[in-house]
Amino acid sequence: MLIHTALAGEEEPADADGKILVIDYPDFWPFFSRDSDGNMVGFFYEIVSEGLSRIGVKSYWKSFPWGRCQAQVRSGEAHAMVTVPTPERLQYANTHEHPFYIKKQTIFTSADHPKLEQIKAIQSLEDIKNLDLTVVTYVGNGWNEQNIVAHGIRTYHAPYLKNVWRMLANKRGDIAIEWPVAAWSFIEESGLSKDIVQTDVSFAPMSFHLLISKQYAISKRLSEFDAVILQMKRDGTIDAIVERYMGMSQP
């Protein structure tokens, strides 16, 4: 497996031949992060880096708040990001057909919420609105903008996902709708395991893709990347990478 490992403080490489992709990412375990030595880790990082390496492209990863990641791909300051394609993002970036990972969205709430039983019985976004619930999310969450804000449901924004759980525990919102694997990592790290509960209510999953700015010719090679993603699904590479990270603590 050939993976380009970006080190903290490493000088950004020159890209004279279009074979280096600069990818902006928000630190988000276990998708993409850095270990104690500054090496890139995370299963999104490994999947995307391996896919790019199979088409002869190296990746260089730079960490920023999620809102800035999107702004820099939009402006062309960065080549790419890993996220869910939305109509707005596809105005300035190209992507590939098949997602490399599909993430389930589940409702969390405070353990002593007065409407706990009603929250557990939610079946639609309309139910959230009718219960007059407020959603807590993080800045730059496109799924929330498309599905929650657009539905007229009140939303409070934290700067980072890790801050969402403290807000929820402190009753600065009623529910959060997030991916359980990443959520519990932050909940436990914050010492809130007894204050937050995960319900059995889930919504439409989020499909993750590599998005590359239309300003760069390398975005025309996304069909090659897509073919490699399908190959990696068939040969078990993606399943093996994801399996290694499930239940792993952040290094």
Side-chain angles (χ1 to χ4, degrees), residues 177-198:
I177 306 173
E178 293 296 340
W179 182 54
V181 175
W184 280 110
S185 174
F186 287 121
I187 292 169
E188 291 169 358
E189 180 183 307
S190 301
L192 299 172
S193 299
K194 295 181 179 179
D195 302 295
I196 304 293
V197 294
Q198 176 183 330

Side-chain angles (χ1 to χ4, degrees), residues 2-196:
L2 173 62
I3 294 178
H4 174 72
T5 303
L7 294 172
E10 179 184 347
E11 183 179 352
E12 183 174 332
D15 184 24
D17 55 6
K19 293 186 178 180
I20 296 175
L21 195 68
V22 178
I23 304 175
D24 279 8
Y25 72 96
D27 192 277
F28 191 117
W29 174 261
F31 290 173
F32 9 57
S33 189
R34 292 184 184 273
D35 64 18
S36 57
D37 295 321
N39 296 312
M40 282 296 300
V41 291
F43 71 86
F44 276 18
Y45 161 72
E46 290 201 23
I47 291 169
V48 172
S49 296
E50 172 66 11
L52 289 170
S53 75
R54 291 191 187 189
I55 63 170
V57 176
K58 291 184 178 181
S59 55
Y60 178 85
W61 298 71
K62 300 172 67 176
S63 177
F64 296 101
W66 180 226
R68 184 173 173 187
C69 292
Q70 296 175 84
Q72 292 186 162
V73 174
R74 184 186 298 111
S75 69
E77 185 175 344
H79 296 159
M81 60 185 174
V82 175
T83 187
V84 177
T86 63
E88 179 187 0
R89 291 168 183 156
L90 293 177
Q91 290 179 12
Y92 57 85
N94 290 323
T95 193
H96 47 100
E97 181 180 356
H98 300 94
F100 66 81
Y101 187 77
I102 296 176
K103 183 179 83 167
K104 183 174 71 172
Q105 297 288 91
T106 299
I107 288 184
F108 292 79
T109 188
S110 53
D112 58 352
H113 197 287
K115 295 182 179 179
L116 180 58
E117 294 308 313
Q118 292 164 283
I119 290 171
K120 288 181 177 180
I122 287 173
Q123 296 184 6
S124 67
L125 295 178
E126 193 64 26
D127 289 342
I128 297 176
K129 189 173 182 179
N130 291 339
L131 286 170
D132 195 30
L133 301 176
T134 298
V135 176
V136 183
T137 189
Y138 56 93
V139 174
N141 184 341
W143 184 91
N144 191 84
E145 295 301 313
Q146 278 194 305
N147 295 276
I148 301 301
V149 175
H151 209 79
I153 298 169
R154 291 194 311 276
T155 300
Y156 293 145
H157 293 86
Y160 300 101
L161 176 58
K162 64 182 179 182
N163 302 121
V164 165
W165 312 109
R166 182 67 62 186
M167 290 177 66
L168 199 60
N170 290 338
K171 308 297 190 297
R172 293 182 60 192
D174 300 296
I175 62 173
I177 306 173
E178 293 296 340
W179 182 54
V181 175
W184 280 110
S185 174
F186 287 121
I187 292 169
E188 291 169 358
E189 180 183 307
S190 301
L192 299 172
S193 299
K194 295 181 179 179
D195 302 295
I196 304 293

Side-chain angles (χ1 to χ4, degrees), residues 211-244:
L211 274 67
I212 303 179
S213 169
K214 292 180 179 179
Q215 298 182 45
Y216 295 95
I218 196 171
S219 70
K220 301 296 196 302
R221 300 190 62 190
L222 279 161
S223 60
E224 297 175 55
F225 180 78
D226 191 65
V228 164
I229 288 299
L230 293 177
Q231 180 188 67
M232 290 170 64
K233 288 182 177 180
R234 289 193 299 269
D235 67 23
T237 299
I238 290 179
D239 285 344
I241 291 172
V242 173
E243 183 64 27
R244 279 196 290 108

